[in-house]
Amino acid sequence: MDDASSNRESGFSETQRPAIRFLVESALRTVMSNAANREPRTREDWIRRLCEALMSEAESSYHAVIAALIATGVKQNEIYQSYVPAAARYLGELWVSDKASFVDVTVGASRLQNLIRQREADGGHLWSDRSVPLGQSVLVAIPEYEQHALGAFVAADNLRRHGLWVHMAIGLKDAELAQLVNSQRFSMVGLSIATPNSVEKTTGLVDYIRSNSKHTPPIVVGGRMVEQNEKLVLRTGADFAVRSAREAIEKCGLSSVAEALPFSGIS
């Protein structure tokens, strides 16, 4: 087939073909440029991308984001110790600013919790094999009124990496928690406080534990509310309000064998 026949079949004349080629090439360059721009460039970009995937309809999309992040050289421990808490905090910010629905944020937070639980299920030693337990035991509690649990899970892992035995208590009533405190010689009790409403309820919980425990170890509170208003949190009657595992350990006079790691400021 000659060029003339080809041009007639394509519907373009000789004078039109260069212009069409230019438009096609321009469109391809735009697509490639957009694809490059969509690739996260900073830690904050990755966190936003991860949160988008966590809230998406595709169940596996956030796994793909994590895989891509690892491919850039970020270590798995850094993802779980840094990116996961930051993603949880960002999800909360999206909800507060009405940029994401309650359902979307709940789905995202649930998937983050599943990530942590799955990591423990696949081999809990991955969370604690960098430290040797020193014999000291601490209780990390998520009261029944506290719905934000992710921060407490991350905090518990950080404490384990400092060489502490950590007992998790999830959704217990005041009497159940006080009974648990009485059942063992804990060196510290940590409570998660994520919302202003939780502050008032934690005040009653702390008072109940002290009134119904034969031996009450130092009570430490952590979570998003400590970041927002430490003085308000201390009104709960807790001994300390902390922002890091290292801070909790030092204030309670405990021993540590691990380097300082970020305690969860989120829940």
Side-chain angles (χ1 to χ4, degrees), residues 234-247:
L234 285 174
R235 294 178 188 175
T236 61
D239 294 289
F240 309 109
V242 301
R243 294 177 173 82
S244 71
R246 174 68 69 180
E247 184 180 3

Side-chain angles (χ1 to χ4, degrees), residues 47-184:
I47 291 169
R48 284 192 289 269
R49 174 66 61 82
L50 177 58
C51 287
E52 291 172 359
L54 287 165
M55 296 185 292
S56 72
E57 295 182 0
E59 176 70 25
S60 61
S61 59
Y62 67 97
H63 290 291
V65 174
I66 292 176
L69 186 55
I70 292 175
T72 66
V74 177
K75 303 299 183 182
Q76 288 192 28
N77 281 335
E78 184 179 355
I79 289 175
Y80 284 92
Q81 293 292 331
S82 178
Y83 284 81
V84 168
R89 186 181 301 111
Y90 186 65
L91 286 174
E93 293 173 356
L94 292 176
W95 182 18
V96 171
S97 61
D98 291 327
K99 294 180 180 179
S101 70
F102 173 78
V103 173
D104 289 339
V105 171
T106 300
V107 169
S110 176
R111 287 173 174 171
L112 281 178
Q113 291 186 44
N114 286 338
L115 274 175
I116 293 180
R117 292 190 178 106
Q118 185 61 51
R119 182 175 172 91
E120 290 183 319
D122 289 343
H125 63 281
L126 292 176
W127 288 86
S128 55
D129 61 358
R130 292 192 178 184
S131 63
V132 179
L134 300 174
Q136 296 171 311
S137 179
V138 301
L139 174 64
V140 175
I142 305 169
E144 62 170 342
Y145 53 78
E146 184 57 75
Q147 301 300 314
H148 299 67
L150 179 64
F153 279 103
V154 176
D157 171 61
N158 289 341
L159 290 168
R160 290 189 188 104
R161 290 163 63 86
H162 278 275
L164 301 173
W165 293 106
V166 179
H167 186 110
M168 292 288 294
I170 304 173
L172 298 186
K173 298 181 183 298
D174 292 8
E176 294 172 326
L177 193 54
Q179 183 179 3
L180 179 58
V181 172
N182 275 322
S183 69
Q184 299 185 44

Side-chain angles (χ1 to χ4, degrees), residues 176-245:
E176 294 172 326
L177 193 54
Q179 183 179 3
L180 179 58
V181 172
N182 275 322
S183 69
Q184 299 185 44
R185 294 287 290 187
F186 292 111
S187 300
M188 181 187 81
V189 174
L191 301 174
S192 175
I193 302 182
T195 65
N197 187 47
S198 296
V199 174
E200 181 178 351
K201 293 181 178 179
T202 300
T203 301
L205 174 58
V206 171
D207 182 65
Y208 188 91
I209 291 175
R210 293 194 190 284
S211 301
N212 293 275
S213 300
K214 298 176 183 178
H215 165 73
T216 305
I219 298 177
V220 173
V221 290
R224 185 182 298 129
M225 287 308 301
V226 175
E227 298 288 340
Q228 296 181 5
N229 193 329
E230 181 176 343
K231 292 183 179 179
L232 176 64
V233 173
L234 285 174
R235 294 178 188 175
T236 61
D239 294 289
F240 309 109
V242 301
R243 294 177 173 82
S244 71

